[in-house]
């Protein structure tokens, strides 16, 4: 069983939601990223999303854009990100999903990527600009290597698309909690709960919610009805302020622990 | 196409894009999920209005009375004679309202947006020509317009910034990335992702996710449609060769499209060679790029081995873009269209030559097509008819040209 599936199955048994932090790989260095992943795991992360930096991140807000630029200044590439994950696997079994734009994967070669990523210990891929329609040629390649393909569902997705995306998604389904780009915001759109319920009508795969969640309170609120809570920009911003090193990792872990606590102490209806 | 079939004896059907928005293996919709329903809505609206006689009537009337179509097909006699070969015609898109072909697409899409009930339009712009055209159409039709423009381009093209503002548009400076056209597109897409329910994004060329390359082509093919009629009327036969510059590829596809099935008509797209592809400072995607995805389309892209998009350089801001429309990638790989490049210095030379020989100051973009015509024509015979697309006029480039050609005169402000 894929690490992601195993983790969600275990959480479901415990009636818990997953806390899924997102960080940009290579910001500020890949050594720091490895340190951050371990710190996040200690803080209570269930799954980690690693952003693959891209020069033209058109689905990202300013915070993630700047993180990608910092990483690219250090010449981070998909190849050395996989190398970093491979080393990380000596220390952790936490499920790792790469969050990427398609072009770096295409340039690597989809087949070579699938093989190398699975071998390195990556568990899944989410390509933010590869919607369902464009995945037909690539999905089977990723799946046969053992990688999960996580798809996004948006507030604008009509019900027939929701159904098809839910069917094609594996590992989990990522519901984009707002019409917009990544970035922290004050409140989570109220329609999110209803949309998660609408997705569940089509699937019993885990549904994670992200884009704009930045505080423990928001995390607690969303964890009451979602199977996973993704927090990205709020953590990435903190990393941007702190830079790298062991001390920064401890501070990021402290913030992540609050978020994880929000998720863990959420009042969830009985596990389904 | 019966006339074409009659003349060329062929009637092969060119039916791209397919239902998924593909031109062979190029094109598609490589965008975030949030935009997928909007692209579907846009595609449906576009097909509905294509079939709507009232919409077509309005478009035709605006083309005639506002843009000033048909634009003339002009025999450039002195330029032809000077080169000593082919008989060269200019398709005068420079005479269209706002000074370039960009208005054909901007007006069509703005009309479409209004019919779709969107009250806000956004656009990206590099040199400012598409931004000006969109601001113009928005003023004409009474829509709210915001234009994203790289901070660096705003500096270089201050006149166009002022023109847009004069017509009531808001110009939003883009400070991210390289602060040029590609970043303006990123920012426009981010805006569209956020405001997709109220806003139409008027993309300025035959790039982006399906149906944009199709929509833009359909609004630009009027160029070739007119040119075909005009040359048949003047010469009684089809041209030997068509030449157009290729940024995203809208003026070139606009000229080429109606001739695609005329197998005897040669077609040449001219990219920006900048300082020369070997220097890395250029925008010659076919000479120096590889297949990849950027801004929603699978096409040719200037990128490093890791798939990161490279910076580009061209003396002309309108050609200074790291990717090219997917239909061109298809036409290149099928061999139907040839793609070459002209360097900065060659374009500047053609810019001056045509100004002197014909009293027409071409846009620096169009000057790339003219530069290639100047290279190719001497080897042709006077029987060979060449149509060069004069995609725009050079008023916007005069300051840049002074700076490059005569730095003494330009003073500190012009840079
Ligand atoms: C006059 C002119 N010609 C050509 C272009 C290049 O665009 P395209 O290749 O879409 O025609 C531009 C773009 O700004 C332009 O202003």
């Amino acid at each position: 069983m894929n690490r992601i599936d195993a983790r969600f199955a275990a959480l479901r048994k415990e009636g818990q939601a997953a806390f899924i932090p997102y960080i940009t790989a290579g910001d500020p260095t890949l050594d720091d990223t490895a340190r951050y992943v371990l710190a996040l795991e200690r803080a209570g992360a269930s799954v980690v999303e690693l952003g693959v930096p891209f020069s033209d991140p058109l689905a990202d807000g300013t915070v993630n854009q700047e993180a990608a630029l910092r990483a690219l200044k250090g010449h981070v590439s998909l190849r050395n990100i996989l190398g970093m994950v491979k080393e990380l696997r000596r220390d952790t079994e936490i499920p790792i999903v790469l969050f990427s734009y398609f072009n770096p994967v295409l340039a690597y070669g989809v087949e070579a990527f699938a093989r190398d990523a699975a071998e390195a210990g990556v568990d899944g891929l989410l390509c933010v600009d590869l919607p369902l329609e464009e995945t037909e040629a690539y999905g089977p390649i990723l799946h046969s290597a053992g990688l999960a393909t996580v798809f996004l569902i948006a507030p604008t997705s009509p019900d027939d698309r929701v159904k098809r995306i839910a069917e094609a998604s594996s590992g989990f389904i990522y519901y984009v909690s707002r019409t917009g780009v990544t970035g922290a915001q004050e409140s989570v759109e109220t329609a999110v709960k209803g949309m998660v319920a609408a997705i569940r009508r089509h699937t019993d795969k885990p549904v994670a919610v992200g884009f704009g969640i930045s505080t423990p309170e928001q995390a607690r609120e969303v964890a009451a009805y979602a199977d996973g809570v993704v927090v990205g920009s709020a953590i990435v911003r903190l990393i941007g302020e702190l830079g790298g090193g062991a001390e920064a990792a401890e501070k990021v872990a402290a913030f992540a622990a609050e978020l994880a606590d929000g998720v863990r102490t959420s009042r969830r209806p009985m596990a389904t | 196409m019966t006339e074409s079939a009659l003349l060329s004896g062929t009637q092969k059907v060119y039916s791209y894009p397919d239902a998924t928005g593909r031109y062979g293996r190029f094109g598609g919709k490589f965008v975030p999920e949030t935009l997928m329903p909007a692209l579907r809505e846009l595609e449906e609206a576009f097909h509905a209005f294509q079939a709507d006689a009232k919409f077509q009537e309005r478009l035709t009337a605006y083309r005639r009375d506002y843009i000033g179509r048909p634009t003339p097909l002009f025999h450039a006699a002195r330029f032809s004679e000077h080169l000593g070969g082919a008989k060269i015609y200019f398709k005068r898109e420079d005479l269209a309202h706002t000074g370039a072909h960009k208005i054909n697409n901007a007006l069509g899409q703005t009309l479409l947006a209004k019919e779709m009930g969107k009250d806000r339009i956004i656009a990206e712009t590099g040199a400012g020509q598409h931004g000006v055209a969109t601001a113009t159409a928005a003023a004409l039709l009474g829509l709210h317009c915001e234009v994203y423009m790289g901070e660096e381009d705003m500096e270089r093209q201050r006149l166009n910034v002022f023109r847009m503002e004069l017509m009531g548009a808001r110009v939003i400076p883009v400070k991210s990335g390289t602060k040029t056209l590609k970043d303006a597109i990123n920012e426009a897409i981010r805006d569209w992702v956020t405001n997709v329910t109220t806003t139409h994004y008027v993309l300025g060329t035959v790039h982006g996710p399906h149906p944009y390359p199709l929509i833009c082509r359909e609004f630009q093919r009027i160029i070739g449609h007119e040119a075909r009629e005009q040359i048949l009327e003047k010469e009684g036969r089809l041209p030997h060769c068509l030449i157009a510059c290729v940024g995203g590829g809208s003026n070139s596809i606009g000229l080429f499209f109606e001739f695609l099935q005329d197998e005897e008509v040669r077609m040449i797209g001219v990219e920006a060679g900048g300082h020369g592809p070997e220097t890395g400072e250029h925008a010659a995607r076919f000479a120096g790029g590889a297949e990849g995805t950027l801004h929603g389309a699978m096409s040719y892209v200037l990128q490093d081995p890791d798939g990161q998009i490279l910076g580009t350089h061209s003396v002309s801001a309108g050609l200074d873009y790291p990717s090219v429309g997917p239909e061109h990638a298809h036409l290149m790989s099928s061999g139907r269209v040839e793609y070459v490049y002209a360097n900065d210095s060659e374009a500047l030379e053609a810019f001056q030559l045509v100004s002197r020989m014909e009293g027409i100051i071409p846009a620096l973009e169009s000057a790339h097509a003219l530069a290639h015509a100047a290279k190719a024509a001497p080897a042709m015979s006077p029987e060979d008819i060449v149509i060069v697309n004069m995609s725009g006029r050079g008023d916007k480039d005069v300051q840049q040209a002074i700076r490059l050609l005569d730095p003494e005169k330009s003073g500190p402000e012009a840079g």
Side-chain angles (χ1 to χ4, degrees), chain A residues 55 57 103 134 157 161, chain B residues 22 29 33-34 190 303 308:
Chain A
S55 53
N103 203 52
E134 301 298 346
S157 308
R161 277 189 74 78
Chain B
R22 292 277 178 163
K29 302 179 185 179
E33 169 62 21
T34 307
R190 287 178 190 124
Q303 55 185 312
Q308 305 295 342

Side-chain angles (χ1 to χ4, degrees), chain A residues 53-58 60 65 72 77 103-104 107 128-131 133-134 138 152 154 156-157 161 165 179-181, chain B residues 22 28-34 36-37 176 182 186 189-190 193-194 196 292-293 295 298 303 305-309:
Chain A
F54 182 50
S55 53
D56 292 80
L58 52 75
D60 281 299
Q65 286 172 41
L72 289 174
S77 68
N103 203 52
V128 64
D129 56 353
L130 197 67
E133 283 77 353
E134 301 298 346
Y138 311 113
L152 300 172
T156 52
S157 308
R161 277 189 74 78
I165 297 171
T179 312
V181 294
Chain B
R22 292 277 178 163
K29 302 179 185 179
F30 294 83
V31 294
E33 169 62 21
T34 307
M36 292 300 281
S176 57
K182 89 177 166 67
N186 290 339
I189 293 177
R190 287 178 190 124
V193 168
T194 309
V196 63
T293 53
H295 295 147
M298 175 80 74
Q303 55 185 312
D306 294 325
Q308 305 295 342
I309 309 307

